[in-house]
Amino acid sequence: MRFLIQWKESKEEEIHTFGVLDEGQIEPNAQQLEDEDDKVFFWLTQEEALAISADYDGGDWIVLRCACDECKDYEIENEGYQRARGAGIGV
């Protein structure tokens, strides 16, 4: 899972990868940490992964939106559709 986050203090925005723990896990095990090779910014439990959305509060940061390739492709396609319908013109 990839999300665009914003640091609360600096307002900087960054895209990060979030890992999802196995059912019942509350923290990553040694094998998961080794496999991910420092690519995971934050680990989510199964419940958090199902519930995460914009405005998820991570303490020093918040989630702004999903940044996965599927969502990015959808936004690009939808942007053209919105423009074709005149949405956002003159706003």
Side-chain angles (χ1 to χ4, degrees):
M1 301 177 83
R2 291 171 50 86
F3 292 99
L4 175 66
I5 67 156
Q6 182 180 55
W7 295 100
K8 289 179 181 178
E9 190 172 307
S10 69
K11 303 296 186 206
E12 281 188 58
E13 296 179 3
E14 300 173 350
I15 293 176
H16 286 284
T17 300
F18 287 62
V20 180
L21 298 168
D22 294 332
E23 188 71 36
Q25 273 187 291
I26 57 171
E27 60 184 40
N29 62 37
Q31 186 63 49
Q32 287 169 315
L33 291 173
E34 184 178 321
D35 290 347
E36 292 304 324
D37 192 31
D38 296 328
K39 295 176 188 168
V40 173
F41 169 73
F42 190 78
W43 287 92
L44 300 167
T45 64
Q46 291 279 324
E47 294 80 18
E48 289 170 326
L50 291 172
I52 196 168
S53 62
D55 298 328
Y56 177 89
D57 192 329
D60 294 336
W61 49 269
I62 58 168
V63 170
L64 296 179
R65 65 174 175 79
C66 181
C68 70
D69 291 337
E70 292 83 9
C71 287
K72 188 163 63 170
D73 292 344
Y74 175 79
E75 284 180 14
I76 291 168
E77 291 171 16
N78 193 41
E79 181 182 13
Y81 173 75
Q82 294 296 330
R83 266 191 267 136
R85 293 186 40 109
I89 296 175
V91 176

